[in-house]
Amino acid sequence: MLTAYGFVEGRLRPMPVEAAADLVKPDVVWVDVVDALEHERGWLNETFKLKLDDEEMEDIEDSARCYIDEAGIHLNSFFLHQRHDEAEVLTVTFLLTEGRLLSIRTDELAAFRLFRMRARMQADFVHSAEDILLAIYDVAVEYAADVLEGVYTGLDKVSSRVLTRSSEMSDKDMAETVSDIARQEDMNGKVRLDLMDTRRALSFLLRGRSLTHAQQDNLREVLRDLESLNNHTAFLFDKINFLMDAVMGLINLQQNKIIKIFSIAAVVFLPPTVIASIYGMNFNAMPELHWQLGYPFALVLMVLSGIAPYWFFKRKGWL
């Protein structure tokens, strides 16, 4: 889907696109492409001299992320994308050329949706293609902050479960807890990757000479927010490691309890086993063999020999 935008009374509004020539009208300031159709790719190739076949897009994603050529300023940035409590990073390709911004991606992203809503509702929210690009990055950073808040909330629930209900947790609860922690760790890692890539793109823009002083100041504010969020992801990684260590410690304690039970049972039943083995031997010279009370005597002796170690361990406080 290909959508062109222009300014109408200070607000960003979609404009009709029926041919490639409509993309370069003077009032078009932003061309947004989501999973372009075949004819739309042809328009982009014709208008912006871009090759948008699948192999070329893969080459763009795996090569230099930021560069300048005769077409304009190229940026290939990661953007966070969430689906059903799972996160991934998608590459968005930007091109700043002749006062116009071109953005190309394969799926709808929350950052772009939030930006369009603000630009539609707030008059004079953006004034140029450069403003649009910086505003999209700014919204993306805010969205990453919201995701990190969600990660912290999820970890806080796990922490409460581990620290207050550890003695009541079953094996299934332990497995679910480990899965929750791993999911939050994956989300936090994807956010950190997104932030690092965004910082690289913004630093590249800051080193260039295409932005005004006011835009550079706004960009520096975004970079400061990025730095604070990066520190927060490091804090979350520490919290994740602590919770994972705590859960693994609880699992080890439960396993040690089970091993302890088997060890005690082995020690308790060892003396009766020895007695039963002795009286199970077939020798003629055994005084108790023909004794009328020999069988109950052996049973009582085995019971007492089993109780004695248990009582001894209990008295020592080992149980």
Side-chain angles (χ1 to χ4, degrees):
M1 183 177 67
L2 186 151
T3 309
Y5 292 89
F7 292 115
V8 178
E9 297 180 354
R11 291 179 170 85
L12 206 59
R13 301 293 187 189
M15 308 186 70
V17 177
E18 298 178 354
D22 294 334
L23 300 177
V24 290
K25 288 182 177 179
D27 50 352
V28 172
V29 69
W30 178 31
V31 178
D32 187 32
V33 183
V34 182
D35 194 17
L37 301 176
E38 191 63 32
H39 71 279
E40 294 174 341
R41 294 188 179 197
W43 292 351
L44 295 173
N45 294 340
E46 176 185 345
T47 305
F48 299 101
K49 310 304 179 184
L50 294 175
K51 297 180 180 180
L52 296 182
D53 53 81
D54 294 336
E55 292 185 3
E56 187 69 21
M57 287 298 293
E58 289 297 327
D59 291 341
I60 290 176
E61 292 178 6
D62 294 336
S63 62
R65 310 288 294 180
C66 309
Y67 59 94
I68 301 176
D69 61 12
E70 63 278 2
I73 300 175
H74 298 260
L75 301 173
N76 297 286
S77 295
F78 287 142
F79 277 73
L80 196 64
H81 184 44
Q82 277 188 291
R83 288 181 180 174
H84 309 296
D85 294 332
E86 294 183 0
E88 61 179 335
V89 286
L90 299 180
T91 297
V92 178
T93 298
F94 292 105
L95 171 63
L96 267 174
T97 175
E98 298 179 354
R100 188 176 293 108
L101 174 66
L102 172 66
S103 60
I104 305 171
R105 60 190 190 278
T106 58
D107 204 345
E108 183 59 81
L109 298 172
F112 282 78
R113 187 169 57 251
L114 292 173
F115 165 75
R116 289 197 305 267
M117 181 184 67
R118 292 185 182 180
R120 184 175 63 251
M121 297 178 62
Q122 300 179 25
D124 298 324
F125 180 63
V126 288
H127 301 89
S128 64
E130 290 79 6
D131 285 345
I132 293 174
L133 179 61
L134 294 181
I136 290 174
Y137 276 120
D138 190 17
V139 173
V141 172
E142 292 181 14
Y143 179 71
D146 293 337
V147 174
L148 287 179
E149 288 181 7
V151 172
Y152 182 83
T153 301
L155 291 176
D156 197 47
K157 293 179 180 178
V158 173
S159 177
S160 176
R161 188 192 317 162
V162 170
L163 299 179
T164 61
R165 296 177 48 238
S166 57
S167 59
E168 305 173 1
M169 295 176 68
S170 62
D171 292 343
K172 182 179 179 181
D173 294 333
M174 290 288 187
E176 291 179 353
T177 300
V178 172
S179 178
D180 289 342
I181 295 175
R183 190 180 304 110
Q184 301 301 337
E185 191 278 337
D186 179 70
M187 185 80 72
N188 191 52
K190 297 291 177 55
V191 173
R192 187 177 181 86
L193 176 63
D194 171 54
L195 295 175
M196 291 175 63
D197 190 76
T198 300
R199 180 172 59 182
R200 177 169 54 180
L202 293 180
S203 298
F204 176 82
L205 284 175
L206 189 61
R207 290 193 300 270
R209 299 180 179 179
S210 59
L211 303 180
T212 65
H213 290 295
Q215 289 170 343
Q216 290 179 0
D217 291 339
N218 292 335
L219 194 151
R220 291 189 180 92
E221 288 290 337
V222 177
L223 285 173
R224 280 192 284 269
D225 292 339
L226 275 173
E227 190 63 30
S228 64
L229 290 179
N230 270 324
N231 294 335
H232 192 59
T233 58
F235 161 74
L236 290 178
F237 274 126
D238 291 339
K239 187 175 182 65
I240 288 169
N241 290 332
F242 166 75
L243 288 176
M244 186 62 77
D245 290 341
V247 172
M248 298 307 297
L250 292 175
I251 293 175
N252 290 333
L253 285 176
Q254 287 191 352
Q255 292 176 344
N256 290 338
K257 288 180 181 179
I258 296 174
I259 295 174
K260 182 179 179 181
I261 291 172
F262 281 109
S263 301
I264 293 172
V267 173
V268 167
F269 285 104
L270 181 61
T273 303
V274 173
I275 295 172
S277 301
I278 292 174
Y279 285 105
M281 294 185 292
N282 297 317
F283 294 105
N284 291 327
M286 292 184 68
E288 298 86 359
L289 188 59
H290 302 288
W291 183 26
Q292 187 176 3
L293 298 178
Y295 178 66
F297 171 77
L299 292 179
V300 171
L301 189 61
M302 285 189 289
V303 172
L304 291 177
S305 65
I307 294 175
Y310 180 82
W311 172 82
F312 180 77
F313 292 159
K314 196 75 173 177
R315 185 175 180 184
K316 287 290 188 179
W318 295 346
L319 298 178

